[in-house]
Amino acid sequence: MRSIRKPTRASRLVALLTVPTALLLGALPTLASPAENGQVEPSRKSSTEQNGVALMRIVAADKGEVDRLADLGVDLVEYNKPLEDGIEVHAVLSPEETTALRAMGFDVQGKISDQDDYRANVAERKAAIAAVDAAALDNDQLTVLRAEWFTSLDGNRFLSFEVKSDAGADSATVITASWDTGMDTPPASGGTATMSRFTDAGQYMYHRFTSPLALTTAEPNRVTFTSSKGGTVKASVTQWLGKPKEAPDEHYVSDFVDHYMDPTEITERIVGLAAEFPKITQIIDLPNLTNGYRRKAQAQFGTAAASTIYVTTKAWGHEGGNDTSVSLINPGAANQPLTVLVAGKTVIVSLATNGTGALTSTAAQVVAALNADAASSALLTASTYRGNAGAGLVATAGATRLSDNLQAPPSISREPFQMKALRIGRAKDGSKPGVYLYCQQHAREWVTPITCLETAERLLRNYEQDTKTRNLVNGLDIFILPVVNPDGAHYSMYDFNSQRKNMTNHCPDATGDPANRNSWGVDLNRNQNVGSFYDGYNGASSSCTSGTYAGPSEQSEPEAKNEDWLINTYPNIKFSMNTHSYGGYFMWAPGAYKTAGREVLPRTDFGTENFFWNASSKILNAVQSHRGTAIWPGRTGPTTDVLYSAAGNSADAHWYNKGIIAWNFEVGADKYNPATNQWEAVGFQPDFSEGHEEAMEFSSGQIAILEVAKAYAADKSKPTAELVVKSKGAGTTDFTFATSEAANVYYTLDGTEPTTSSLKLGFAGYREGPERITITAKTTVRWLAVDIAGNLGTVQEKVLNVPKS
Ligand SMILES: [Zn+2]
């Protein structure tokens, strides 16, 4: 049998027409089989040149003529089309064969295709195969982390996707997302968009949209991610949030804040609340007084750095420093020495002169004279400007009153501040799970203290008539610290609204001049003792003027000591929430990494991470219930995954030191402006109309945290875990586990009894599902689930087989 060319797809539908080589006639010598007549291989079969063989169209007069062609051994193909005047058949012919057939009277017409077509096809095929092979070599593996849509303020709908490529470290890796418009709709009918490559500390994290994409069509059902490296993956698109918390009963009262409040006012308010609700409250005076809203008095003289000096009183401004004055005078005579005269709090520096009466005292000399004089140095310290050698000549200055530059009215105390926490609960004896809600670590985040205050007031004023509130207060031990940073907060409200840190000035002379006064202070969310700057972690600074100054040592600050004291004194605290602004984030540990290699603090385990995510949906649905604000999925998760590294932050200290389930809020989610198609940030101090709404929605979130804590305390049910086989291949079986609730799974592969010391199910990767476990031989798997409340499941067992390799 000879092989038959199959030039068209349609032709294959017809039975093959072949002819025995024995029937070939001498009229077509080139068709003879070499096996029959000993000739050389016919030229048409050359595998290289092929000598013009082509697929030719022949019109036969009738069926008899077709039969005759067949009898001649012509290479007819599976095509037979009746025409008006005959039958069209196709044959594969060399030019010689064509000539011979025409000579025999057959109507051989033109070519259908020839070697040029063939060569083009071969070339095209080769290129296609090469492309496929190249792609096969490089094809990246895409892992979908999250694919969600959600509604936010005003009912606008958005898409949020996250996908990780194993080639993502290459900045040339481009991933596009295409989504449909619902079940059974075309794959890209919703749209297509290029994603952003998200990197942090020089490391690739995943691809995402930098902000959620406005959705203009119906909600998608499926999304396809395609990488420029050849990888592709599909995923279902699920709804994020959108399950509003059930509306409170109509008697539920809320909305207790109607203006931004300073720490003095807030503290008076919680003291008043405690007096009003004595049975279910207690005021806790935290043991470390703050530095206080106070400064030393200062003045600076001079314009050029080399000739400038500044002085700082020993006394606080309000304790006499502000009564001090300094003048730099010309003695009015030649050849006078540099002298310092002190009378009471008046300091007069008489500058030296030369023989012509010109002033000759340098800044360094004046500083030395002031500091050497006993009476002067008892009042103040003099310094050259920012470490300058001070070789410039000092100019005269009239009597200048020193000032602490503080603008708050006298009603704001300049004394060290007594921080007060409000404890709410019926038991208050350590027998109930503790929840610690704290706000305004950062002074300029004005919405946060009123959020904590609103929560306290809702709990107290609804206690009598609202069953749910009563259950929370009776079942929990709640600690609310509305202002962690009272000194800085007073400074933010009265002096410098962008103040972030506390008011403790650890700066040396070189940075202690009055123009630096808005840069002093310690970042209280960088002063804790886990994953700190001093441990080598990223996101804090040793510079006393940096916005993220870690302080001279871990827990150097009274405010940080107080936080630590609270969680140590009340070991029943199991949950905490550190409320900041802005941006709309919901975050948890780990919150810091070392820059080199982006070495992250230990990730929470599988069960805890799932607990965090499960709690997220409850807490963030509560936030959304107030006015529709959705915290983005991309702003939910471990701090290091969604924001940055914050060395020495409080939530990490709570989790790693005490095992406290510790969250961070950033109130003030970005708002979408449909007119510009932009997300707009709200800032630290929005108009109160906006700040009020933020306080209301995040107070609802804080209440939901209490509900999560209450549910945790009430959880007595045994978790279960199911073994799920994911894939079987030659010689291997992959499996994982699915749990009935957030729980850890401990397992053995040797038939022994699993305990909490056994192998522990982990994550496949951050923001991914559970890992897959691979076995290569028949294995008895035994496992045990343990939930976050410590409930143990029953040991289960399954024998897994492995297909033969
Ligand atoms: Zn903050």
Side-chain angles (χ1 to χ4, degrees):
M1 295 279 285
R2 290 166 49 211
S3 64
I4 302 298
R5 290 164 204 257
K6 304 180 183 91
T8 67
R9 173 194 282 257
S11 63
R12 284 185 222 126
L13 300 173
V14 185
L16 292 180
L17 277 171
T18 60
V19 288
T21 50
L23 294 180
L24 290 172
L25 301 181
L28 293 172
T30 57
L31 296 179
S33 162
E36 297 294 316
N37 56 20
Q39 289 179 344
V40 295
E41 185 80 4
S43 58
R44 65 176 289 190
K45 288 196 175 173
S46 159
S47 62
T48 51
E49 291 303 317
Q50 305 202 53
N51 298 326
V53 169
L55 180 65
M56 305 297 287
R57 181 183 291 110
I58 305 172
V59 176
D62 52 26
K63 180 74 168 48
E65 204 165 9
V66 176
D67 290 345
R68 211 176 128 225
L69 283 168
D71 289 346
L72 285 168
V74 170
D75 188 356
L76 291 168
V77 302
E78 312 92 325
Y79 185 90
N80 188 309
K81 178 183 171 190
L83 303 173
E84 289 286 301
D85 54 350
I87 301 166
E88 179 182 328
V89 293
H90 299 165
V92 177
L93 301 173
S94 69
E96 296 75 20
E97 289 166 344
T98 299
T99 304
L101 286 176
R102 282 180 178 148
M104 292 165 70
F106 288 100
D107 181 10
V108 181
Q109 300 186 345
K111 287 184 257 187
I112 294 165
S113 69
D114 62 10
Q115 293 302 311
D116 288 341
D117 299 317
Y118 166 73
R119 275 186 290 273
N121 281 333
V122 167
E124 193 269 352
R125 177 173 180 276
K126 263 191 187 160
I129 288 171
V132 168
D133 287 349
L137 285 176
D138 286 333
N139 262 2
D140 54 345
Q141 188 82 36
L142 300 183
T143 305
V144 180
L145 305 182
R146 309 192 68 86
E148 286 150 325
W149 70 271
F150 63 90
T151 61
S152 195
L153 276 176
D154 309 320
N156 291 311
R157 292 162 309 141
F158 304 92
L159 287 177
S160 179
F161 299 146
E162 297 171 7
V163 60
K164 190 152 51 175
S165 161
D166 64 359
D170 180 350
S171 62
T173 304
V174 177
I175 297 180
T176 52
S178 302
W179 56 94
D180 61 16
T181 47
M183 285 280 240
D184 302 322
T185 58
S189 52
T192 294
T194 302
M195 304 180 77
S196 305
R197 192 171 151 270
F198 171 30
T199 61
D200 185 57
Q203 286 211 9
Y204 169 69
M205 302 288 287
Y206 44 88
H207 279 72
R208 62 176 186 184
F209 298 137
T210 46
S211 47
L213 222 61
L215 185 59
T216 51
T217 59
E219 292 85 42
N221 178 49
R222 301 276 287 168
V223 56
T224 304
F225 298 101
T226 308
S227 167
S228 60
K229 292 281 163 58
T232 183
V233 66
K234 293 182 198 307
S236 295
V237 184
T238 56
Q239 186 177 8
W240 168 249
L241 306 182
K243 294 179 203 74
K245 194 173 134 75
E246 53 184 280
D249 295 337
E250 24 183 90
H251 56 258
Y252 189 86
V253 291
S254 62
D255 196 351
F256 301 102
V257 292
D258 59 6
H259 60 279
Y260 288 127
M261 299 166 83
D262 71 34
T264 299
E265 191 178 4
I266 295 237
T267 304
E268 282 168 4
R269 180 95 158 240
I270 63 165
V271 169
L273 287 169
E276 191 178 347
F277 299 94
K279 285 188 184 145
I280 51 170
T281 62
Q282 177 189 346
I283 286 287
I284 298 171
D285 283 347
L286 300 181
N288 300 284
L289 298 181
T290 68
N291 171 72
Y293 173 73
R294 58 182 179 173
R295 285 265 165 89
K296 305 294 173 67
Q298 291 188 304
Q300 183 167 308
F301 303 88
T303 48
S307 56
T308 293
I309 69 162
Y310 74 91
V311 292
T312 307
T313 56
K314 296 270 165 78
W316 298 104
H318 70 289
E319 291 176 343
N322 290 341
D323 304 327
T324 309
S325 75
V326 172
S327 51
L328 305 170
I329 63 165
N330 186 331
N335 294 317
Q336 295 300 304
L338 171 63
T339 59
V340 174
L341 179 71
V342 179
K345 291 188 172 162
T346 303
V347 179
I348 299 168
V349 177
S350 180
L351 300 167
T353 55
N354 62 14
T356 67
L359 297 174
T360 59
S361 294
T362 65
Q365 289 166 341
V366 172
V367 164
L370 281 166
N371 290 338
D373 183 86
S376 163
S377 65
L379 285 179
L380 53 79
T381 303
S383 311
T384 58
Y385 182 74
R386 300 201 177 178
N388 195 286
L393 297 182
V394 171
T396 58
T400 302
R401 185 84 168 262
L402 276 56
S403 171
D404 62 10
N405 293 301
L406 295 178
Q407 310 297 314
S411 59
I412 302 301
S413 168
R414 266 62 172 170
E415 296 306 313
F417 195 89
Q418 173 62 62
M419 294 169 64
K420 290 176 186 288
L422 178 63
R423 185 182 193 180
I424 301 175
R426 195 176 58 180
K428 298 190 294 297
D429 58 3
S431 65
K432 305 291 182 191
V435 185
Y436 174 33
L437 307 174
Y438 56 119
C439 289
Q440 205 173 24
Q441 276 188 328
H442 291 146
R444 62 195 174 197
E445 299 167 8
W446 289 9
V447 175
T448 64
I450 58 174
T451 305
C452 264
L453 179 63
E454 170 73 15
T455 299
E457 205 135 346
R458 285 190 195 178
L459 292 172
L460 299 176
R461 299 206 183 282
N462 288 295
Y463 181 74
E464 284 301 332
Q465 77 277 17
D466 183 63
T467 312
K468 282 181 193 157
T469 301
R470 196 157 55 245
N471 286 341
L472 294 178
V473 172
N474 290 348
L476 296 170
D477 198 355
I478 303 157
F479 300 83
I480 299 180
L481 178 59
V483 186
V484 176
N485 181 4
D487 302 341
H490 280 129
Y491 195 71
S492 172
M493 198 152 267
Y494 296 106
D495 299 278
F496 175 62
N497 73 311
S498 294
Q499 177 77 12
R500 167 183 168 97
K501 304 183 288 179
N502 73 358
M503 279 186 74
T504 312
N505 178 9
H506 291 288
C507 283
D509 282 359
T511 40
D513 58 286
N516 266 327
R517 66 185 181 277
N518 291 338
S519 303
W520 299 330
V522 176
D523 185 342
L524 297 177
N525 206 24
R526 301 292 186 278
N527 192 228
Q528 288 298 343
N529 59 3
V530 172
S532 76
F533 170 82
Y534 295 97
D535 298 328
Y537 283 78
N538 174 283
S541 170
S542 60
S543 163
C544 65
T545 54
S546 160
T548 55
Y549 177 43
S553 59
E554 291 175 353
Q555 290 187 350
S556 59
E557 301 308 294
E559 299 89 342
K561 289 187 176 108
N562 283 340
E563 278 184 18
D564 197 47
W565 175 86
L566 196 83
I567 60 170
N568 284 315
T569 304
Y570 304 99
N572 58 319
I573 292 176
K574 183 63 192 167
F575 296 86
S576 74
M577 165 52 80
N578 186 1
T579 299
H580 285 252
S581 86
Y582 57 85
Y585 287 83
F586 184 63
M587 301 178 290
W588 54 84
Y593 51 72
K594 291 180 178 172
T595 307
R598 202 175 181 281
E599 184 191 324
V600 179
L601 280 169
R603 290 190 168 271
T604 58
D605 61 27
F606 178 74
T608 309
E609 180 78 2
N610 280 331
F611 180 84
F612 276 120
W613 279 104
N614 292 355
S616 299
S617 59
K618 184 168 178 65
I619 294 162
L620 298 182
N621 274 320
V623 170
Q624 192 175 36
S625 293
H626 177 67
R627 58 165 172 169
T629 302
I631 301 306
W632 306 350
R635 290 185 174 179
T636 301
T639 307
T640 48
D641 292 356
V642 300
L643 187 56
Y644 49 44
S645 175
N649 73 80
S650 297
D652 278 347
H654 292 181
W655 170 247
Y656 294 103
N657 284 338
K658 296 282 174 185
I660 294 169
I661 304 281
W663 282 292
N664 299 282
F665 264 149
E666 296 280 350
V667 310
D670 292 0
K671 298 172 84 172
Y672 184 71
N673 182 345
T676 61
N677 203 20
Q678 298 285 321
W679 288 93
E680 293 166 359
V682 294
F684 292 115
Q685 295 148 19
D687 274 2
F688 187 74
S689 59
E690 164 64 21
H692 170 268
E693 293 300 287
E694 294 173 14
M696 292 305 116
E697 61 196 1
F698 283 89
S699 174
S700 296
Q702 290 184 338
I703 300 277
I705 287 169
L706 302 178
E707 288 164 359
V708 166
K710 187 73 172 48
Y712 160 88
D715 181 7
K716 298 283 180 278
S717 63
K718 286 182 169 194
T720 60
E722 197 184 324
L723 188 152
V724 183
V725 173
K726 301 300 287 188
S727 67
K728 287 190 173 198
T732 65
T733 293
D734 283 2
F735 69 95
T736 188
F737 297 94
T739 57
S740 59
E741 59 173 303
N744 281 309
V745 179
Y746 298 89
Y747 63 94
T748 64
L749 300 175
D750 58 4
T752 58
E753 182 83 359
T755 69
T756 52
S757 309
S758 303
L759 294 165
K760 189 176 181 182
L761 181 71
F763 273 98
Y766 62 88
R767 296 173 92 73
E768 291 183 37
E771 66 179 328
R772 290 183 178 197
I773 299 144
T774 301
I775 51 170
T776 55
K778 182 176 175 179
T779 299
T780 300
V781 185
R782 303 188 76 197
W783 70 94
L784 167 69
V786 182
D787 72 17
I788 304 308
N791 298 304
L792 264 61
T794 314
V795 172
Q796 290 179 271
E797 179 179 313
K798 191 164 186 170
V799 178
L800 286 184
N801 288 307
V802 171
K804 283 202 175 65
S805 56

